[in-house]
């Protein structure tokens, strides 16, 4: 009920702003304070109801806040040197973007709390109630993990070695200037992406098997380190987060201090250092003095990282300016074509999702054409995508549904003795954490290919094992 009142309050503010002559310049700071308060309230309320802040929903909410409201939070403490987004937008556009973000985050949390209340399932750590359904065994999960590891390891090593060669020769941004491949030619990339799910399913089946768990951890950490070296911060951090949660859930509880220290090290030491060195080519990338000098040149690593992550707010502001002025609302067509991305491109010269247009590509080609020509991008935002489809009226409803479904998946997978479901959720989470600064085409494919498909493999193994045992008994 409190969260419902919070959403009504935010919607009332939007109504007041859009129907009165309120000075947007003076309203930006109070709205930034509102976003900080929304973050604090959301984390506290989730912690009070579930007893944990280290779970998939909370991680996604924090990711969504950092990417879309990071700069407003810095504004509260006076850490934006030139204002939000360096003052590149008119005050009314900036205020509209902040209010749209507030609507999205408060609606997301309302949907999450509504699902939590409806599920009537005890939170993690308080005796989650099993539903009595049969689940794949630890051995089934290990077999799935090994099978996927065999399939993905060679393509992943080839893809990563090529990427290392490109970065060593020309720097991180040269990765985005390579020719794209589609259809059957993209099969090695698709197979390589199963490396992370393989390690996660192997980890979920490794309780009381420290050697097997160690193999999984080595794969995840190795993948993350190579990704960090390439300059792909999210590509390395998200699998680490998913693996840490799965380890915490099934292998051994991680102390809060360990989680906090590791998070601080990745976010505020590794991330700013990678940002400063990702453009360097050659052996200088491996030089300790260069790394030390690069990190020392950063005035405030914490503010620098939050500000850069919060730059995704720019995509929300641009979308507000361009839709519907230059592009009509998609009325759900964007999500429909994104869902089609689960179908491999074996039947078309151009996949329908690509033919309709990816929002991130459309945006950079529209506002930064020179950057688009050299393979650069601005990313996007799940809040901007909701607005591009349904405008102001549809955004709160869509995000309530999104929050409800996300927590429904967490309830289905996380609570109770269900390692296979947790492995599926962790595999999905490794991609879902990128969603707040991207768009739904990332979510649909990841959920089906890299989460649900390995889970189905485990179910098939379980069915075969049970039928074989039944035949022996007969």
């Amino acid at each position: 009920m409190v969260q419902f009142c919070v959403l009504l309050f935010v919607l009332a503010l939007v109504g007041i702003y859009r129907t009165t002559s309120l000075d947007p310049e003076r309203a930006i700071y109070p709205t930034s304070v509102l976003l900080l308060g929304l973050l604090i309230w959301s984390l506290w309320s989730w912690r009070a109801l579930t007893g944990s802040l280290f779970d998939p929903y909370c991680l996604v909410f924090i990711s969504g806040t950092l990417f879309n409201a990071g700069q407003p939070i810095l504004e509260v403490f006076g850490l934006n040197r030139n204002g939000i987004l360096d003052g590149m937008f008119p005050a009314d556009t900036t205020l509209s973007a902040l209010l749209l973000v507030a609507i999205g985050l408060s609606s997301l949390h309302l949907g999450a709390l509504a699902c939590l209340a409806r599920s009537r399932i005890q939170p993690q750590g308080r005796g989650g109630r099993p539903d009595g359904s049969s689940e794949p065994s630890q051995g089934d999960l290990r077999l799935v993990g090994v099978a996927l590891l065999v399939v993905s390891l060679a393509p992943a090593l080839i893809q990563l070695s090529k990427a290392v060669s490109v970065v060593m020769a020309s720097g991180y941004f040269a990765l985005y200037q390579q020719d794209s491949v589609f259809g059957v030619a993209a099969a090695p990339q698709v197979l390589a992406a199963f490396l992370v799910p393989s390690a996660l399913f192997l980890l979920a089946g490794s309780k009381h098997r420290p050697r097997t768990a160690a193999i999984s951890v080595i794969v995840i950490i190795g993948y993350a380190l190579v990704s960090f070296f390439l300059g792909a911060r999210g590509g390395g951090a998200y699998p680490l987060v998913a693996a840490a949660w799965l380890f915490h859930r099934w292998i051994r509880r991680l102390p809060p201090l360990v989680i906090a220290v590791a998070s601080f090290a990745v976010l505020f030491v590794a991330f700013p250092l990678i940002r400063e060195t990702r453009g360097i080519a050659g052996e200088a990338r491996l030089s300790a003095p260069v790394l030390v000098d690069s990190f020392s040149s950063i005035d405030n690593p914490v503010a620098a990282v939050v500000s850069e992550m919060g730059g995704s707010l720019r995509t929300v502001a641009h979308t507000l300016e361009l839709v519907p002025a230059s592009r009509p609302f998609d009325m759900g067509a964007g999500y429909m074509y994104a869902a089609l991305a689960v179908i491999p491109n074996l039947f078309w010269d151009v996949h329908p999702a690509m033919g309709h247009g990816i929002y991130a590509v459309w945006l950079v080609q529209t506002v930064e054409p020179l950057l688009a020509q050299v393979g650069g991008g601005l990313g996007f935002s799940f809040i901007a995508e909701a607005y591009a489809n349904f405008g102001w009226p549809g955004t709160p409803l869509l995000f309530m549904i999104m929050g409800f479904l996300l927590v429904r998946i967490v309830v289905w997978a996380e609570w109770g003795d269900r390692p296979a479901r947790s492995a599926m959720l962790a595999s999905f989470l490794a991609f879902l954490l990128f969603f707040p600064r991207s768009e739904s085409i990332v979510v649909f494919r990841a959920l089906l290919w890299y989460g649900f498909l390995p889970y189905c493999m485990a179910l098939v193994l379980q069915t075969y094992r049970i039928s074989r045992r039944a035949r022996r008994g007969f």
Side-chain angles (χ1 to χ4, degrees):
M1 291 302 297
V2 172
Q3 184 62 27
F4 180 71
C5 293
V6 169
L7 178 58
L8 288 182
F9 177 72
V10 175
L11 293 175
L13 289 180
V14 175
I16 292 172
Y17 166 64
R18 294 174 66 87
T19 58
T20 64
S21 57
L22 178 69
D23 182 7
E25 190 72 42
R26 298 178 60 184
I28 287 177
Y29 186 83
T31 307
S32 300
V33 175
L34 171 66
L35 285 166
L36 176 60
L38 179 61
L39 172 64
I40 295 172
W41 154 255
S42 299
L43 296 182
W44 179 88
S45 59
W46 190 258
R47 175 71 171 77
L49 291 172
T50 67
S52 174
L53 289 177
F54 191 44
D55 65 67
Y57 167 75
C58 197
L59 292 170
V60 171
F61 187 88
I62 292 173
S63 176
T65 302
L66 288 175
F67 282 117
N68 294 276
Q71 291 207 10
I73 291 174
L74 292 178
E75 187 72 11
V76 175
F77 302 101
L79 295 176
N80 289 319
R81 292 183 177 179
N82 301 311
I84 296 176
L85 298 176
D86 292 324
M88 65 183 301
F89 293 96
D92 59 337
T93 301
T94 301
L95 179 59
S96 296
L98 298 185
L99 290 172
L100 185 63
V101 169
I103 288 176
L105 294 178
S106 56
S107 301
L108 182 73
H109 197 54
L110 177 59
L113 295 182
C115 181
L116 199 64
R118 181 179 176 82
S119 66
R120 299 179 182 273
I121 294 180
Q122 294 178 343
Q124 176 186 346
R126 300 181 184 177
R129 185 180 66 192
D131 60 2
S133 61
S134 179
E135 285 289 308
S137 67
Q138 295 273 314
D140 296 332
L141 299 184
R142 290 194 298 273
L143 284 175
V144 171
V146 170
L148 293 179
L149 186 61
V150 169
V151 168
S152 63
L153 185 58
L157 291 177
I158 294 172
Q159 296 290 327
L160 292 174
S161 63
K162 289 181 179 179
V164 169
S165 299
V166 170
V167 168
M168 289 293 289
S170 306
Y172 167 75
F173 296 101
L175 292 173
Y176 297 95
Q177 298 171 3
Q178 308 298 303
D179 294 333
S180 300
V181 293
F182 304 97
V184 177
Q189 296 181 1
V190 174
L191 293 177
F194 280 101
L195 182 66
V196 171
S198 73
L200 294 174
F201 271 78
L202 194 63
L203 182 63
S206 300
K207 193 171 185 179
H208 308 307
R209 287 179 174 262
R211 293 183 179 179
T212 310
I215 294 174
S216 174
V217 171
I218 289 171
V219 170
I220 291 291
I221 293 179
Y223 180 84
L225 291 177
V226 174
S227 298
F228 287 157
F229 175 79
L230 296 175
R233 293 173 295 182
Y238 300 150
L240 273 180
V241 172
W245 170 74
L246 191 62
F247 187 95
H248 176 78
R249 180 72 178 88
W250 285 107
I251 307 300
R252 184 182 304 165
R253 307 289 287 185
L254 297 175
L257 181 60
V258 171
I259 297 174
V261 171
S263 301
F264 185 89
V266 171
L267 271 177
F268 304 125
V269 177
F271 274 26
L273 180 60
I274 293 169
R275 177 194 177 187
E276 294 298 317
T277 59
R278 66 193 337 185
I280 299 176
E283 296 181 359
R285 295 177 68 89
L286 302 174
S287 172
V290 171
L291 297 178
V292 173
D293 291 342
S294 298
F295 188 80
S296 301
S297 65
I298 306 172
D299 292 335
N300 187 333
V302 175
V305 168
V306 175
S307 178
E308 185 186 9
M309 295 177 70
S312 294
L313 180 66
R314 177 184 176 186
T315 65
V316 179
H318 278 308
T319 304
L320 284 168
E321 289 185 331
L322 295 171
V323 180
S326 300
R327 170 178 176 151
F329 293 112
D330 280 344
M331 304 306 296
Y335 291 105
M336 181 189 71
Y337 281 103
L340 289 177
V342 303
I343 305 174
N345 188 16
L346 301 175
F347 314 103
W348 310 280
D349 293 332
V350 178
H351 196 285
M354 297 293 293
H356 174 264
I358 297 176
Y359 289 110
V361 175
W362 159 75
L363 185 65
V364 70
Q365 290 178 345
T366 302
V367 303
E368 294 280 0
L370 295 180
L371 180 62
Q373 288 179 5
V374 298
L378 303 174
F380 207 62
S381 164
F382 66 161
I383 295 175
E385 183 183 26
Y387 173 82
N389 276 273
F390 299 111
W392 289 94
T395 298
L397 177 60
L398 182 64
F399 268 82
M400 279 189 282
I401 296 173
M402 195 181 301
F404 188 94
L405 292 178
L406 176 57
V407 174
R408 188 69 191 91
I409 294 175
V410 173
V411 168
W412 175 81
E414 182 182 0
W415 296 332
D417 190 20
R418 303 160 180 168
R421 297 184 181 186
S422 294
M424 172 184 164
L425 179 58
S427 300
F428 184 36
L429 182 64
F431 297 89
L432 184 62
L433 289 171
F434 187 68
F435 179 43
R437 63 150 303 184
S438 182
E439 51 193 286
S440 55
I441 193 171
V442 175
V443 174
F444 287 112
R445 177 170 290 190
L447 177 60
L448 184 64
W449 288 19
Y450 305 115
F452 187 65
L453 180 59
Y455 177 70
C456 288
M457 292 173 62
L459 291 179
V460 170
L461 287 175
Q462 174 207 13
T463 302
Y464 173 76
R465 175 173 47 81
I466 292 175
S467 62
R468 185 179 180 183
R469 184 180 303 170
R471 286 196 302 268
R472 287 180 176 178
F474 179 79

